[in-house]
Amino acid sequence: MNFVVPDFYPAAAEIFVAVMALVIMLASTFARGVRWLGYALTQLTLIAAAFVTIFTMQGEVSYTFSNLFVSDLMGQFLKLVIYFSMAVALLYGRGYLADRNIDKPEYYLLALLMTLGMMVMVTANHMLPMYIGLEMMSLALYTMVAFDRDSGRSTEAAMKYFVLGALASGLLLYGMSMVYGATGSLEFTGIAQAVYNQAANQTVLLFGLVFLVAGIAFKLGVVPFHMWVPDVYQGAPTAVTLVIATAPKLAAFAMAIRLLVWGLFDLAAQWQTMLMLIAVASIVLGNLAAIAQQNIKRMLAYSGISHMGFVVLGLLAGVVDGDRHFALNAYSSAMFYAVAYVIMSLASFGMVILLSRAGFEAENIDDFKGLNKRSPWFALMMMFVMFSMAGIPFFIGFFAKLSVLQAVVAAGYFWLAVVAVIMSVIGAFYYLRVVKVMYFDAPEDTSEIRAPAELRVLLSANGLAIAALGVAPQMLMSLCAYALLASL
């Protein structure tokens, strides 16, 4: 048996991040007193990985490592957004962690290993690396949630997340094993070929599909696998909540595309029905439950469930009665929505971190009272975020919702679009309530908002980007469409 040396060039970014994780581990061990070293090296690694990804970007789809790894524009684009969101999240959270004495090198090492897991997920062409990447990401996240060892609430949240996450991973792994038993392949292209040629055991395949959808639904945080979301968002340190709410959503989206579209596209009629139920339930429950929340992290958690429901709407609108002409428009709208949600979530949790300080967590909506009197500029930034999440023109959230609804209507699911619009109107209440509290209520805390200059500058840029991308969303939309088109 001849060993074929794989082409390492397409996987240069993954190899670089893995090597740097080892370097940071050793550097942190031998320089324990240098608190900033882990943070600085992690940020430099993310920036350098972005350059490596850009320089190794290829216009065509290529496979390596015996077809375990795929290099395509969709994966490369998502990796760039993951680097960006992780770098911003770490910058936002650094002061918060330092105030609570948990700004340790191990935290940044975990964040980098989590990033590596997400990179493996978005470039996997085989169920084995997909599962390994998922577990690498998940195990790092469980540890980060429990990173504040003195907080009983964080420990409880981590236990809930770990137990439910282990259950979801088991469901996903069981589904993968059933798909392998039905098709004889773990490779997405091999699975697609077996399904297309009707060479698979349909009964076993459909059972496996149900378990796969359940695993994807858990990682997206949608109904009925949403139970962990509000508790983990509230219990985790806000800096960790910010991480959970952003980049992992992109990795989960990539997992859904690879498994369902790349591997099981010819079973679209079956998984679309499941996604339809999930999307409607998520949009309805997310918006209704968010209304009752007084804790802004729980409110944003239920809001996130609703937003992920919109992403699922885009995924289910790709095929209509066997007609695949809608696929590119639908999947690119879902991808655009996922990216837009990450940008909005960075700003929303960044504002919570801005108002927090040592000994005080700005977790309640009432903590935003009178923010306009304390800081008119950041009240404006938070208003941009809330308006965008509510889908009010002309912010990026409006065009994200509009693109998904257009894809749903084009696919003939008019009633789904009506339900989504009605629930979005209802959901606008809890976003506008935050704006009302900021501008019309008297402040309970009149102290000056103190935050590092880099946090203020980047948070301002984040808020302005939400407004700017709402005025000119075409470039980001076109990037998403082109990345998918070049990867199909």
Side-chain angles (χ1 to χ4, degrees):
M1 181 177 179
N2 294 324
F3 175 73
V4 179
V5 178
D7 182 6
F8 293 100
Y9 184 76
E14 284 79 2
I15 295 169
F16 172 73
V17 172
V19 170
M20 283 305 298
L22 296 175
V23 170
I24 292 171
M25 187 186 301
L26 292 172
S28 301
T29 302
F30 290 107
R32 298 294 299 179
V34 186
R35 297 291 293 266
W36 55 265
L37 186 63
Y39 170 78
L41 287 176
T42 301
Q43 291 286 37
L44 287 173
T45 300
L46 292 171
I47 295 168
F51 281 107
V52 172
T53 301
I54 291 169
F55 289 136
T56 57
M57 196 173 286
Q58 298 170 319
E60 57 186 23
V61 180
S62 61
Y63 300 89
T64 186
F65 298 107
S66 301
N67 290 344
L68 294 175
F69 181 99
V70 59
S71 174
D72 56 18
L73 280 181
M74 185 195 80
Q76 290 158 343
F77 174 73
L78 287 176
K79 282 195 288 186
L80 290 174
V81 182
I82 286 170
Y83 303 145
F84 167 77
S85 62
M86 287 299 297
V88 172
L90 293 178
L91 189 149
Y92 282 171
R94 190 186 178 205
Y96 177 95
L97 297 171
D99 287 342
R100 288 145 188 84
N101 199 31
I102 51 175
D103 181 28
K104 298 177 181 177
E106 293 84 353
Y107 178 86
Y108 301 105
L109 177 62
L110 287 169
L112 198 59
L113 290 173
M114 169 193 162
T115 304
L116 179 60
M118 291 187 284
M119 294 167 70
V120 172
M121 286 175 70
V122 301
T123 53
N125 184 51
H126 192 280
M127 288 190 177
L128 185 58
M130 175 70 74
Y131 187 75
I132 291 172
L134 174 66
E135 287 305 294
M136 187 182 295
M137 178 191 79
S138 299
L139 290 171
L141 274 177
Y142 303 150
T143 311
M144 290 170 75
V145 172
F147 205 75
D148 187 359
R149 291 182 292 180
D150 296 329
S151 170
R153 193 175 68 168
S154 294
T155 305
E156 180 186 349
M159 284 301 297
K160 288 179 181 176
Y161 195 13
F162 173 72
V163 171
L164 291 174
L167 176 62
S169 294
L171 292 175
L172 187 68
L173 192 60
Y174 190 55
M176 288 177 173
S177 67
M178 295 185 82
V179 170
Y180 173 68
T183 62
S185 177
L186 286 171
E187 205 176 293
F188 298 143
T189 47
I191 293 168
Q193 188 174 4
V195 175
Y196 178 76
N197 294 329
Q198 296 184 342
N201 185 312
Q202 288 295 309
T203 304
V204 177
L205 188 60
L206 290 177
F207 268 106
L209 176 62
V210 171
F211 286 108
L212 288 182
V213 171
I216 292 169
F218 181 89
K219 295 306 172 184
L220 284 172
V222 289
V223 178
F225 303 97
H226 67 286
M227 301 81 68
W228 63 274
V229 178
D231 289 342
V232 172
Y233 275 42
Q234 182 181 3
T238 306
V240 179
T241 305
L242 171 59
V243 172
I244 297 171
T246 51
K249 305 299 185 187
L250 297 171
F253 168 80
M255 181 170 71
I257 288 287
R258 299 288 189 202
L259 287 173
L260 299 180
V261 179
W262 265 242
L264 298 166
F265 194 60
D266 288 296
L267 292 179
Q270 283 75 25
W271 54 257
Q272 277 178 322
T273 305
M274 289 184 267
L275 294 187
M276 191 180 299
L277 296 172
I278 288 171
V280 172
S282 300
I283 292 171
V284 172
L285 185 141
N287 282 305
L288 293 180
I291 293 173
Q293 305 305 316
Q294 296 300 318
N295 183 291
I296 196 163
K297 287 166 71 175
R298 289 186 74 90
M299 187 200 86
L300 291 171
Y302 283 110
S303 160
I305 293 169
S306 170
H307 285 297
M308 288 301 103
F310 270 91
V311 173
V312 174
L313 273 185
L315 291 174
L316 69 86
V319 181
V320 184
D321 297 327
D323 187 352
R324 305 181 180 188
H325 291 94
F326 303 96
L328 178 63
N329 182 40
Y331 301 145
S332 64
S333 70
M335 186 172 172
F336 175 65
Y337 200 109
V339 173
Y341 174 72
V342 167
I343 296 171
M344 294 186 292
S345 286
L346 285 169
S348 60
F349 286 104
M351 282 298 305
V352 176
I353 288 174
L354 178 74
L355 297 184
S356 300
R357 57 183 183 275
F360 175 72
E361 302 285 341
E363 291 189 354
N364 295 317
I365 294 174
D366 286 347
D367 294 327
F368 284 78
K369 281 184 175 180
L371 180 59
N372 183 50
K373 292 184 175 64
R374 297 175 65 194
S375 174
W377 175 253
F378 285 110
L380 179 66
M381 294 299 101
M382 188 61 169
M383 185 177 72
F384 283 176
V385 177
M386 293 294 102
F387 279 4
S388 182
M389 284 193 160
I392 295 174
F394 286 89
F395 296 94
I396 188 173
F398 167 75
F399 287 102
K401 280 185 166 68
L402 181 63
S403 62
V404 168
L405 291 174
Q406 285 177 333
V408 170
V409 171
Y413 299 116
F414 186 76
W415 69 272
L416 272 178
V418 171
V419 171
V421 169
I422 292 172
M423 295 314 302
S424 293
V425 172
I426 293 172
F429 166 79
Y430 56 84
Y431 294 119
L432 296 179
R433 178 175 59 187
V434 177
V435 176
K436 176 260 180 188
V437 162
M438 291 192 301
Y439 281 90
F440 298 104
D441 288 7
E444 294 181 352
D445 181 2
T446 57
S447 62
E448 182 185 356
I449 297 174
R450 296 180 180 178
E454 61 269 22
L455 172 58
R456 289 170 172 267
V457 171
L458 194 57
L459 191 54
S460 300
N462 199 166
L464 293 173
I466 289 170
L469 288 170
V471 175
Q474 295 85 1
M475 182 178 292
L476 186 55
M477 286 180 172
S478 300
L479 276 173
C480 292
Y482 180 71
L484 276 170
L485 179 63
S487 305
L488 290 171

